[in-house]
């Protein structure tokens, strides 16, 4: 086993080309550093450096060991960083923003896993209709937030210091009442078939949907009811009652509490991307831990 302190000494000599400069960098005297290097050579059973009038250079054995030592020291630094993060999870508060669909169907199992692992961290959840979650993270109101964007649309770039990281992409599908003529058939339905059909619309109160609504209008879909609710439960209920059809995220249709028929569309250009908004390297230990859980568990949570 090599002493990490001696490995760090060897790396310092490799980077500075001098025992004197390496000693000053590490806070040693030159004789003390020389002793550490001599012990390392005995441990390695090989000559690791050659002294000359301008300093010192590593031998082939020294270069080999220094290369390995850099990786070992990097791993130890990462371990210290992660242990420090874990130490920060013994208390404190984690503030999470979400929108309705994710808050009801996706976030609870992830928060449950976090609570089991870190029961002393206080959890606070707030609801933000996208893109409000981005503004909330930017303002420091929450530590991270779930948000979404739609295609077709032009997404605005996130503010400086804020990262919007995609977690899940899902198709938008046609939702109709059970037995509706457009629900018949197993293949994809051409969007042009929506021409003249009454549409339950989420615009104009739903900014992320405006691109989708514009594309549907170009295809000839006629707005029959404008649903001002930011959630999809009311949209699905209106569709189920036969008041029109709607283009909704696949997850929304499959988890609807009212009976619906669902059909995929052609072209398959209508999508919703669910993302997590966070502050990158400036995230708290608790936020970084929840972010890791979201990355690993979101796909499984969305599988139904």
């Amino acid at each position: 086993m090599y002493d990490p302190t001696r490995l760090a000494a060897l790396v310092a000599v490799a980077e500075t080309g001098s025992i004197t400069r390496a000693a000053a960098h590490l806070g040693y005297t030159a004789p003390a550093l020389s002793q550490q290097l001599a012990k390392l050579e005995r441990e390695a059973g090989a000559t690791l450096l050659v002294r000359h009038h301008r300093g010192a250079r590593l031998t082939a054995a020294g270069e080999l060991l220094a290369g390995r030592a850099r990786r070992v020291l990097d791993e130890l630094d990462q371990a210290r960083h992660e242990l420090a993060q874990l130490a920060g999870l013994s208390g404190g508060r984690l503030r999470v923003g979400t929108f309705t669909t994710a808050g009801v169907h996706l976030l609870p199992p992830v928060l449950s896993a976090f609570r089991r692992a870190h029961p002393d961290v206080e959890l606070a959840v707030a609801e933000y209709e996208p893109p409000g979650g981005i503004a909330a993270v930017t303002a420091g109101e929450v530590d991270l937030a779930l948000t979404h964007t739609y295609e077709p649309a032009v997404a605005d770039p996130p503010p400086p210091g804020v990262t919007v990281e995609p977690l899940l992409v899902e198709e938008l599908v046609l939702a109709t009442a059970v037995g509706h003529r457009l629900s018949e058939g197993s293949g994809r339905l051409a969007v042009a078939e929506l021409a003249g059909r009454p549409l339950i619309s989420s615009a104009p109160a739903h900014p992320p949907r405006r691109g989708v609504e514009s594309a549907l209008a170009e295809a000839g879909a006629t707005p029959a009811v404008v649903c001002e609710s930011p959630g999809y439960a009311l949209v699905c209920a209106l569709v189920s009652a036969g008041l029109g059809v709607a283009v909704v995220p696949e997850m929304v249709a499959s988890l609807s509490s009212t009976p619906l028929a669902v059909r995929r569309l052609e072209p398959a250009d209508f999508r919703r991307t669910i993302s997590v908004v966070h502050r990158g390297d400036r995230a708290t230990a608790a936020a970084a831990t929840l972010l890791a859980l979201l990355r690993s568990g979101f796909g499984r949570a969305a599988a139904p």
Side-chain angles (χ1 to χ4, degrees):
M1 295 291 291
Y2 296 113
D3 187 319
T5 302
R6 295 167 193 160
L7 293 176
L10 181 65
V11 171
V13 173
E15 292 175 347
T16 63
S18 164
I19 292 176
T20 302
R21 288 191 293 269
H25 176 72
L26 295 173
Y28 289 96
T29 64
L33 190 66
S34 293
Q35 290 179 8
Q36 294 294 328
L37 292 167
K39 291 178 181 178
L40 183 60
E41 286 184 319
R42 289 195 293 272
E43 290 175 347
T47 300
L48 301 176
L49 65 152
V50 176
R51 294 167 176 82
H52 52 80
H53 67 281
R54 291 192 303 272
R57 65 174 178 80
L58 270 59
T59 64
E63 291 287 357
L64 187 152
L65 185 57
R68 299 284 185 178
R70 288 186 179 93
R71 290 194 285 272
V72 170
L73 295 171
D74 287 343
E75 287 293 329
L76 289 174
D77 284 341
Q78 182 63 28
R80 281 191 287 268
H81 175 70
E82 292 174 0
L83 287 170
Q85 284 191 320
L86 287 176
L89 293 173
S90 59
R93 190 181 191 207
L94 177 61
R95 301 164 302 165
V96 183
T98 185
F99 59 96
T100 303
T101 306
V104 173
H105 300 296
L106 299 177
L107 189 59
V110 180
L111 287 181
S112 179
F114 180 91
R115 170 54 58 82
R116 288 195 300 271
H118 309 290
D120 295 330
V121 177
E122 178 187 346
L123 293 173
V125 180
E127 189 169 3
Y128 296 92
E129 182 59 25
I134 298 176
V137 173
T138 304
E141 297 173 5
V142 293
D143 299 299
L144 52 76
L146 294 174
T147 189
H148 60 56
T149 55
Y150 283 85
E151 294 178 41
V154 178
D156 295 326
V162 173
T163 298
V164 179
E165 179 180 331
L167 293 172
L168 173 67
V169 180
E170 60 177 333
E171 279 191 43
L172 304 187
V173 297
L174 180 69
T176 71
V178 176
H180 193 284
R181 190 180 70 81
L182 290 182
S183 67
E184 298 172 357
S186 57
R188 289 180 177 270
L189 179 72
V191 174
E193 291 293 320
L194 299 180
R197 303 290 178 180
L199 181 73
I200 309 298
S201 170
S202 296
H206 200 187
R209 283 273 304 199
R210 286 175 183 162
V212 172
E213 301 288 347
S214 296
L216 292 173
E218 290 178 4
T222 306
V225 179
V226 174
C227 182
E228 300 287 353
S229 171
Y232 277 111
L234 181 54
V235 171
C236 291
L238 296 174
V239 169
S240 182
L243 294 175
V245 300
V247 176
V248 302
E250 187 173 12
M251 186 190 318
V252 168
S254 64
L255 297 172
S256 172
S257 60
T258 53
L260 296 175
V262 176
R263 193 164 179 190
R264 295 183 183 276
L265 295 170
E266 180 65 40
D269 294 335
F270 295 87
R271 299 184 182 91
R272 179 172 75 165
T273 299
I274 297 175
S275 303
V276 57
V277 187
H278 57 89
R279 288 190 283 270
D281 293 339
R282 298 182 296 117
T284 65
T289 301
L290 184 63
L291 180 59
L293 289 172
L294 287 168
R295 287 168 175 158
S296 64
F298 226 81
R300 290 193 298 274

